[in-house]
Amino acid sequence: MNAFTLIFSSLAVLYSWGWWHLRRHGRQWPLWRTLLFCSAAFLVIIALSPPLMHWSHHDFRGHMVIHLVAGMIAPLGLVMAAPISLALKCLPSTWGRAWVWLMSWPLVRFLSHPITATLINIGGMYALYLTDFYSYMLHSSGVAWWLHWHFIIAGCLFTWAIAGPDPAPNRPSLALRFGVLFLSMVAHATLAKWMYRYHFPSSLPLEQVQQGAEIMFYAGELAEACLVYLLVRQWLLSRDVMQLKRISD
């Protein structure tokens, strides 16, 4: 059992326990969120299992599949399952105050800002694929392990900063998040096109690079379309709330 299997299976068990704990005490938590979190955790376990990691190490197309699953698709499920909200419902109220204090800490506010989260997420991709870092990663298991964690953490941070349902004091406006998401989509698509046209990473066979870039472009657009849908849904809900408030006033 590798570290990813142990950690994400444990997280799935903890999340399921939280759902069961609330249900036992007569409090409700959506079952679909539990299924969403466990499915996303299972995706990470499968994507980072030894056979697929071996494939990704020797085939750029496999690497890109794992990158998309661990860095874009799975974070959607992990974040939209609202694990922090579930934890706060299961823990004493002091933990809620601790969460508010943590979110108010300047460093956390800086890292969780949509612009910063985008730079960490998209900037990491540019640094990986347009430099010699990818070739270096192939010869270092430690760097490869760190890179997989970067995909997961950066993907979750970006998803949460853009459309996460968990509480976040001083969250930027929907307009700013829409703008950042649009620029992120442009930067992601541009990187894929550069890789396809100019053969980055140059140390790999051209066919693998071009097919990997196509996977990145088309599959990445699907994950980004989900984020667009989630933001539009939040905007519609906020608009309905404002309309109801005006009617009541």
Side-chain angles (χ1 to χ4, degrees), residues 12-228:
V13 169
L14 281 173
Y15 193 103
S16 300
W17 177 88
W19 171 80
W20 175 82
H21 175 78
L22 290 181
R23 187 177 181 86
R24 189 182 64 172
H25 289 83
R27 303 170 66 187
Q28 297 299 316
W29 183 259
L31 177 60
W32 69 265
R33 288 194 188 273
T34 305
L35 296 175
L36 183 63
F37 187 91
C38 292
S39 298
F42 181 71
L43 273 179
V44 175
I45 291 171
I46 294 298
L48 299 179
S49 62
L52 290 185
M53 289 182 70
H54 178 77
W55 173 46
S56 71
H57 193 75
H58 295 87
D59 192 318
F60 186 68
R61 293 162 294 192
H63 164 84
M64 195 54 67
V65 169
I66 287 182
H67 155 67
L68 289 167
V69 172
M72 299 187 73
I73 298 173
L76 281 170
L78 295 172
V79 172
M80 300 314 297
I84 301 300
S85 298
L86 174 61
L88 293 178
K89 286 180 177 291
C90 296
L91 296 171
S93 58
T94 52
W95 286 90
R97 292 191 290 271
W99 175 257
V100 172
W101 173 83
L102 179 64
M103 290 296 99
S104 300
W105 197 30
L107 178 61
V108 174
R109 290 179 60 181
F110 172 74
L111 292 175
S112 61
H113 192 278
I115 295 177
T116 309
T118 300
L119 291 175
I120 294 172
N121 189 39
I122 301 297
M125 297 181 200
Y126 274 76
L128 176 64
Y129 299 125
L130 300 186
T131 68
D132 293 330
F133 189 75
Y134 183 84
S135 299
Y136 177 72
M137 180 270 297
L138 293 177
H139 297 90
S140 173
S141 58
V143 172
W145 185 86
W146 174 87
L147 182 64
H148 292 314
W149 274 116
H150 172 78
F151 282 154
I152 298 168
I153 295 172
C156 288
L157 179 64
F158 174 74
T159 303
W160 181 69
I162 295 295
D166 280 322
N170 303 310
R171 173 164 278 169
S173 66
L174 277 169
L176 186 144
R177 286 182 277 153
F178 265 119
V180 172
L181 177 58
F182 173 76
L183 292 177
S184 172
M185 294 170 66
V186 172
H188 192 266
T190 300
L191 176 59
K193 290 180 179 180
W194 282 357
M195 291 167 61
Y196 185 94
R197 183 173 181 179
Y198 299 113
H199 189 195
F200 290 109
S202 58
S203 60
L204 301 175
L206 176 61
E207 182 181 9
Q208 285 190 23
V209 171
Q210 290 184 336
Q211 292 178 359
E214 289 176 338
I215 294 171
M216 179 180 179
F217 182 86
Y218 292 109
E221 281 193 336
L222 291 176
E224 290 162 344
C226 290
L227 279 176
V228 172

